[in-house]
Amino acid sequence: MKKKFTKVLLTVLAVSTAILVLIPIVLTITNSFMAASEITSNYGMIFQKTETGGKGFISQTVNLKFIPDMVSFSQYFTILIKSPDYLIKFWNSLILVVPIVVFQLAVAFLAAYGFTRAKGKAAAIVFFAYVILLLMPYQVTLVPNYLVLDWMNLLDTRWAIWLPGIFSPFSVYLLTKYMKRIPTALFEAARIDGANEWQIFIKICVPICKGIATSCVILVFMDYWNMVEQPLLFFSDADMYPLSIFLSQINAQEIGLAFAAATIYMVPCLLLYMYGEESLVEGVAYQSSVKG
């Protein structure tokens, strides 16, 4: 009886937490189909300012509405057709993030395999340095990165975002810890069968690490998809900004557009998560597919 009560309590707690987490997402999606006038009447007072530019006292209650009075696609029409600047920023986000994800994973696979196969104190020291870099927040390295990129004349180019992202130690750490769980006997058996180091890497390590690799793709994509500091610091041209910059600088004239832009902005992350949900759970939990 006690176990059943505990199970019901945990279920209710989990459902309640899920509802609280989903409310902002559902609110964003449904409100994106409201007309600008309806959004302003419901939430515009939040963004009102005094004549001096400061915040004003809100005497009215904010009206949270999940169902629009009349479904309108005007916000999407403005973003996708009438004012393509927001769509350009969306593509800027993809152009900046996708190469980081692809090449960071490629670098991480090679580096992790090297750390896994290498023995000795030198490899341990280098890996320890990777862990130290991983523990440092990215904001701590912004100034050194800026100075190096300025010295390399890469500021105001996409390489200013790509290079630090591609060589981030995050994926290297996860893949290394995962590869070290692969039984050594598996490598030795492949070596006896005549496989060289490249064949062992391609035919054994890469397929076994498929789950953790998917986890890395999802986590790295979401991390850089939401970046704000790097573009603001490394780009002086606003035309190169990703959509995340716009979402962080909402003003009173763009409340309605913000809902539609945020909905479009969520689509790649949601699709990627739905595709790799099982692999993400498996990878984070380090559930190796090898039994030994």
Side-chain angles (χ1 to χ4, degrees), residues 116-117 119 179-191 200 204 290 292:
T116 302
R117 299 288 284 161
K119 306 296 180 183
M179 284 186 186
K180 287 185 176 181
R181 295 171 60 92
I182 301 176
T184 307
L186 198 60
F187 297 129
E188 294 175 351
R191 178 69 70 183
I200 294 174
I204 295 179
V290 178

Side-chain angles (χ1 to χ4, degrees), residues 123-199:
I125 292 174
V126 175
F127 184 71
F128 178 74
Y130 260 85
V131 175
I132 295 299
L133 290 174
L134 183 63
L135 294 175
M136 296 175 61
Y138 186 81
Q139 290 77 6
V140 174
T141 61
L142 274 177
V143 174
N145 280 339
Y146 181 89
L147 295 175
V148 172
L149 292 169
D150 184 33
W151 176 72
M152 298 175 67
N153 293 321
L154 293 178
L155 293 178
D156 292 318
T157 69
R158 293 191 176 97
W159 287 103
I161 303 294
W162 287 339
L163 283 181
I166 289 172
F167 295 99
S168 171
F170 177 74
S171 297
V172 176
Y173 175 77
L174 289 184
L175 283 169
T176 300
K177 300 300 289 184
Y178 195 90
M179 284 186 186
K180 287 185 176 181
R181 295 171 60 92
I182 301 176
T184 307
L186 198 60
F187 297 129
E188 294 175 351
R191 178 69 70 183
I192 293 174
D193 289 340
N196 56 37
E197 208 67 46
W198 180 252
Q199 290 173 327

Side-chain angles (χ1 to χ4, degrees), residues 23-98:
I23 283 177
I25 299 175
V26 174
L27 190 68
T28 300
I29 295 174
T30 56
N31 283 201
S32 68
F33 294 101
M34 288 184 181
S37 57
E38 185 178 357
I39 292 175
T40 303
S41 64
N42 293 326
Y43 312 111
M45 63 194 74
I46 298 177
F47 300 90
Q48 287 179 353
K49 294 184 178 180
T50 62
E51 294 180 359
T52 59
K55 294 181 179 179
F57 175 73
I58 300 175
S59 59
Q60 305 178 43
T61 303
V62 176
N63 183 24
L64 294 178
K65 292 186 65 175
F66 288 91
I67 301 177
D69 293 335
M70 183 179 66
V71 175
S72 172
F73 294 93
S74 59
Q75 311 297 347
Y76 290 99
F77 178 80
T78 300
I79 288 179
L80 300 176
I81 306 297
K82 191 175 180 181
S83 180
D85 289 342
Y86 304 106
L87 190 60
I88 291 173
K89 288 180 171 59
F90 175 84
W91 287 111
N92 283 345
S93 296
L94 285 177
I95 292 171
L96 290 174
V97 176
V98 171

Side-chain angles (χ1 to χ4, degrees), residues 11 107 209 241:
T11 302
V107 171
C209 295
Y241 284 168

